[in-house]
Amino acid sequence: MIVRQLEVTWLGHAAFLLLTPGGKRVLIDPWVMSNPVCPTAYQEIKSVDLLLVTHGHFDHIGDAVSIARQTQAPIVSVFETSLWLSRKGVDNAVGMNKGGTLSIQGIQVKMVDAKHSCGIQDGEEIIYGGEAAGFILTLEDGLKLYHAGDTALFEDMALYGERYRPDIVCLPIGDRYTMGHGDAAYAVELIKPRWVIPMHHGTFDALPGSPGEFAKLVGSRAEVVILSPGQTRAFSPAFGGVR
Ligand code: NI
Ligand code: MN
């Protein structure tokens, strides 16, 4: 059932809170408590219907264990990371892998590739967490959102654009650990979304990628939606976006 427009709130870095057209709260890459740019109001997440984790690095898996334990919401990640979450006392860890689609909480969750690593820091150890991934979500009103996770530019992004036609894409632009704004602008040419939200920038000095430079390079190829942490933007197929 569709009860509202999709609302996307950026919590800083790669963390996004979606309020879906069906009224579900979906939290992607839940690094909030120690995320230096996450607004205080979002540092404690008390209710959520679905958690998605792109990979095991601390700035993405973040507070997944505590939020999943508190809310009992299902948490989707690549298979090996889900085994680690289970070992940490998470009851609702849901494993999947790239290419697969999962229907969960009324949302279609497809896991896709990302060019990145996925070790999980666990005390002194680095645990093998499987591979880093991205997600393409199909929401209740048909809108599709692609969260690319941490990634380099790669050619399969053109395939994802052609095959899945995402309306909204969240792309890392920070550089050093992911692609920077130049490669991310090229990724927009490959994916051809209507809207693109830059992420993974401005959190630390080590991330020089600039949303302003990114917007200049993208030009009129897509609408660049630059959010500040805590800011929300609504999206609807009624606004003419869906191909
Ligand atoms: Ni990472
Ligand atoms: Mn990262």
Side-chain angles (χ1 to χ4, degrees), residues 186-207:
Y186 197 89
V188 172
E189 287 192 45
L190 298 183
I191 304 165
K192 299 183 168 63
R194 178 170 171 88
W195 296 286
V196 58
I197 306 174
M199 62 174 180
H200 214 272
H201 64 84
T203 326
F204 317 111
D205 291 343
L207 303 178

Side-chain angles (χ1 to χ4, degrees), residues 107-118:
I107 296 155
Q108 304 293 313
V109 177
K110 173 172 278 288
M111 182 173 276
V112 294
D113 203 9
K115 295 295 178 199
H116 195 68
S117 60
C118 190

Side-chain angles (χ1 to χ4, degrees), residues 55 57 59-60 116 150:
H55 64 293
H57 293 159
D59 54 323
H60 299 261
H116 195 68
D150 276 0

Side-chain angles (χ1 to χ4, degrees), residues 86-103:
S86 299
R87 279 207 306 276
K88 292 291 161 186
V90 171
D91 295 328
N92 299 316
V94 180
M96 67 183 299
N97 221 318
K98 295 173 191 179
T101 308
L102 189 65
S103 180

Side-chain angles (χ1 to χ4, degrees), residues 14-15 27-30 51-57 59-61 75-78 81 98 111-114 116-118 129-136 146-151 170 199-200:
L27 183 58
I28 308 174
D29 281 353
L51 288 152
L52 304 173
V53 173
T54 61
H55 64 293
H57 293 159
D59 54 323
H60 299 261
I61 203 162
I75 175 163
V76 176
S77 67
V78 78
T81 293
K98 295 173 191 179
M111 182 173 276
V112 294
D113 203 9
H116 195 68
S117 60
C118 190
E131 288 190 6
F135 291 108
I136 299 178
Y146 170 24
H147 186 295
D150 276 0
T151 187
C170 305
M199 62 174 180
H200 214 272

Side-chain angles (χ1 to χ4, degrees), residues 29-212:
D29 281 353
W31 182 47
V32 289
M33 274 190 278
S34 58
N35 176 346
V37 294
C38 180
T40 318
Y42 292 101
Q43 286 185 338
E44 231 185 297
I45 304 269
K46 293 203 174 97
S47 89
V48 68
D49 299 294
L50 179 63
L51 288 152
L52 304 173
V53 173
T54 61
H55 64 293
H57 293 159
F58 75 93
D59 54 323
H60 299 261
I61 203 162
D63 306 301
V65 170
S66 63
I67 296 171
R69 285 169 68 166
Q70 268 170 39
T71 61
Q72 293 295 308
I75 175 163
V76 176
S77 67
V78 78
F79 177 68
E80 289 82 357
T81 293
S82 78
L83 295 180
W84 180 84
L85 287 166
S86 299
R87 279 207 306 276
K88 292 291 161 186
V90 171
D91 295 328
N92 299 316
V94 180
M96 67 183 299
N97 221 318
K98 295 173 191 179
T101 308
L102 189 65
S103 180
I104 188 162
Q105 300 286 45
I107 296 155
Q108 304 293 313
V109 177
K110 173 172 278 288
M111 182 173 276
V112 294
D113 203 9
K115 295 295 178 199
H116 195 68
S117 60
C118 190
I120 307 170
Q121 272 175 278
D122 190 341
E124 300 288 291
E125 281 185 284
I126 308 287
I127 310 282
Y128 176 71
E131 288 190 6
F135 291 108
I136 299 178
L137 312 180
T138 306
L139 303 167
E140 300 93 333
D141 62 352
L143 265 180
K144 291 186 188 180
L145 182 143
Y146 170 24
H147 186 295
D150 276 0
T151 187
L153 177 64
F154 63 108
E155 202 177 9
D156 281 0
M157 287 175 165
L159 182 69
Y160 299 157
E162 196 180 299
R163 172 89 177 121
Y164 308 119
R165 299 186 176 276
D167 304 287
I168 307 158
V169 181
C170 305
L171 290 179
I173 66 156
D175 218 327
R176 183 159 174 173
Y177 299 103
T178 68
M179 59 188 175
H181 54 243
D183 280 353
Y186 197 89
V188 172
E189 287 192 45
L190 298 183
I191 304 165
K192 299 183 168 63
R194 178 170 171 88
W195 296 286
V196 58
I197 306 174
M199 62 174 180
H200 214 272
H201 64 84
T203 326
F204 317 111
D205 291 343
L207 303 178
S210 151

